[in-house]
Amino acid sequence: MKKFILDLSCVSELLQRSLLLGLLWCLCGTAAIASETKPNVVFILADDLGWSDTSLFQTTKFYKTPNIQRLAERGMTFTHAYASSPLCSPTRSAILTGLSPARTGITTPNCHLPQVILKATATRTGPANQRATFPSSVSRLSTEYYTLAEMFRDNGYATGHFGKWHLGATPYSPLEHGFDVDVPHWSGPGPAGSYVAPWKYPDFDPNTPNEHIEDRMAEEAVAFMELNKGKPFFLNYWMFSVHAPFDAKQSLIDEYRKRIDPNDPQRSPTYAAMIESMDDAVGTLLDTLDRLQLAENTIIVFASDNGGNMYNQVDGTTATSNAPLRGGKATMYEGGVRGPAVVVHPGVVEANSRSDEVIQSSDFYPTLLELLSINPQPNQEFDGISIVPALQGKSLGRDAIFTYFPHSPPVPEWLPPAVSVHQNDWKLIRIFHGGENGDHRYKLFNLSEDLGEQHDVSSKYPERVDAMDALIETFLENTQAVRPLPNQNFDPAKYQPAQEGIGRIKNTANPSNQKPKPKRVKPVAGWQADGTCTLAVDGDVLVVTSRGGDPYFSCPLPKPIRQQTMTLRFSMRSQSAGHAQVFWHEQGVAPAFYRDRSVRFDPEHDGRTHDYVIEFSPAKPVQAIRIDPSRAAGEMQLSNIRLTTPAGEVLHRFKP
């Protein structure tokens, strides 16, 4: 028998090697798993939050935003952050697609209106006092786009949308665009009814009396994070705040009322209270990320969808001021498109840092792809760029950004349909066909010397205008933008160039403070003309002639129609301008017609007949209807006006 002698020292060495290899394997495996842990992403989008509405730029001491400041201390604040549009829906489409509104065709916030439009079209006629026409905007975000949410979902993320959407109801809701969760599943342009309960969201009731919708949205978002804390998640928190209607917690309003400085342009206690509730929601999200120990592995983006609303009134003053910027929401000036923005990414973005690089809403999609090392889809293109170099403290080296807004809302600082380009410190606005003989007109500003855009230097630098306008032309061609055309109905006798930039401020806070109504005249076909219009009948057509301002007309019903969801249907041909609104008078409720009992919509003012279906859900029987058909001078012809059920059953027909 052979004897084998085992060298224990060798065994010891083998064991040590095995243990070492095993340890190394475990460490490498752990490192590999750690490297594969995907960062969570929280995208916070405020609604109508202006550049001066937070403490980030120290423009006012009236507002309290400690949580937004806390967010800034964790990441990078951008001083030159631009929305892709001065109105909300176009910017929201840019965030989700990385594309300019010029390319998607969503150029106005009409996505809550009944008519589904998936392709923008040019119009050849418009109001006689306008040199250029307004293109017909797309009214839904098409499901053909590969959205930011779909990208996250396809890469293993749980996806949740909370708050405002305004890109279309089912089948164009968040649930059809890549989100697993959508709360409160609301397609309207703002909060349903009010911020403080009772609300009017279908199938979404408050948990407590007087609950604030932003508190509730934050609570729902917390539940989403807690449910998905074991996997990567994309939380899309698009706030209702601080969009109209202007209401807030009474205790906060009372507190801010004590702090008003009459010399500060920021002096609305209601608006300040709304901002504090918005900031509280940001704090709730940050607290939850800290508590769940997720903050170090979460990217946070905070931005606004457009500039501050400086043309509605509340508390006897404008809601806010964007000073030192000119203009606000719905204008092409800086106050309409420039706002606060913060990006947080621990370990990648330096804490408490600032950047003067120019960024835009369409940049966020390609930026998140690069931060997460995710490739875009084959043939997927973006109008935005990745801003990762800026997040690393470097220059972006971009040539220019563009804002396309081919519309003209009648608000202070309004402009005719326009497109702008920012290049370094220079900004050029092209006003489509705003000059003589159908030529374009231009405004040029040097923002480093004239942040308030008070001095148009286009005549001083014609070569720069030509060079920057060539950039605009290339942009319009690349995006295949549907452009305004010379208006074939233009009447020079009705054109008032001196009125450009002068708008009527509408008091939406206190109807009792409005100017006295003009003397009532004899009703026409049951309709009573009010505001700034007269009525006449031409066969089966109700003819409305507006002098501008606020034309409206109303009609009582023979008897109240019981509470139910109903629609006002009619055909209208308009040569006026501006948004429209339908009000209903609920039995026993005063005042008869009030903003909370209304639906706003954007009619086509192109001189052609269009059909409209306005749906609403009254809380009590309805006893009268009011129509505000426009916000400008011009003639409108309405026919086949009737109240129906959503299925089309006629409840009452208004006979001319």
Side-chain angles (χ1 to χ4, degrees), residues 161-219:
H161 175 82
F162 298 87
K164 177 172 173 174
W165 175 246
H166 207 196
L167 289 171
T170 304
Y172 303 96
S173 79
L175 299 179
E176 288 83 38
H177 280 292
F179 289 100
D180 304 322
V181 177
D182 175 26
V183 180
H185 197 56
W186 173 246
S187 60
S194 66
Y195 282 88
V196 180
W199 311 316
K200 296 181 180 179
Y201 301 98
D203 304 318
F204 186 73
D205 298 324
N207 287 328
T208 60
N210 300 319
E211 184 177 34
H212 194 284
I213 188 59
E214 222 60 82
D215 292 342
R216 177 63 177 279
M217 287 297 97
E219 180 182 322

Side-chain angles (χ1 to χ4, degrees), residues 404-421:
Y404 184 61
F405 189 54
H407 305 283
S408 184
V411 299
E413 305 290 2
W414 65 272
L415 286 173
V419 57
S420 72
V421 56

Side-chain angles (χ1 to χ4, degrees), residues 40 50 117 380 402 415 434 442 452 474 482 508 550 574 622:
N40 306 303
I117 304 172
Q380 186 178 16
F402 303 87
L415 286 173
Y442 300 93
T474 300
V482 177
T508 61
D550 188 16
S574 173
V622 173

Side-chain angles (χ1 to χ4, degrees), residues 2-20:
K2 295 181 180 180
K3 295 183 180 180
F4 295 90
I5 300 173
L6 185 61
D7 188 339
L8 293 178
S9 65
C10 180
V11 173
S12 177
E13 184 178 351
L14 288 170
L15 286 171
Q16 290 176 21
R17 288 181 180 178
S18 297
L19 290 170
L20 180 60

Side-chain angles (χ1 to χ4, degrees), residues 23-83:
L23 179 60
L24 287 173
W25 184 89
C26 289
L27 290 174
C28 288
T30 302
I33 293 172
S35 67
E36 294 175 359
T37 302
K38 302 172 183 177
N40 306 303
V41 177
V42 175
F43 200 116
I44 307 172
L45 185 68
D47 193 0
D48 291 357
L49 187 70
W51 191 72
S52 300
D53 287 351
T54 72
S55 57
L56 293 176
F57 306 121
Q58 299 180 340
T59 55
T60 179
K61 295 182 179 179
F62 190 49
Y63 301 139
K64 294 179 181 179
T65 56
N67 292 301
I68 293 175
Q69 197 67 44
R70 178 179 159 201
L71 188 67
E73 292 169 359
R74 299 185 180 197
M76 177 176 285
T77 300
F78 284 87
T79 60
H80 292 68
Y82 289 89

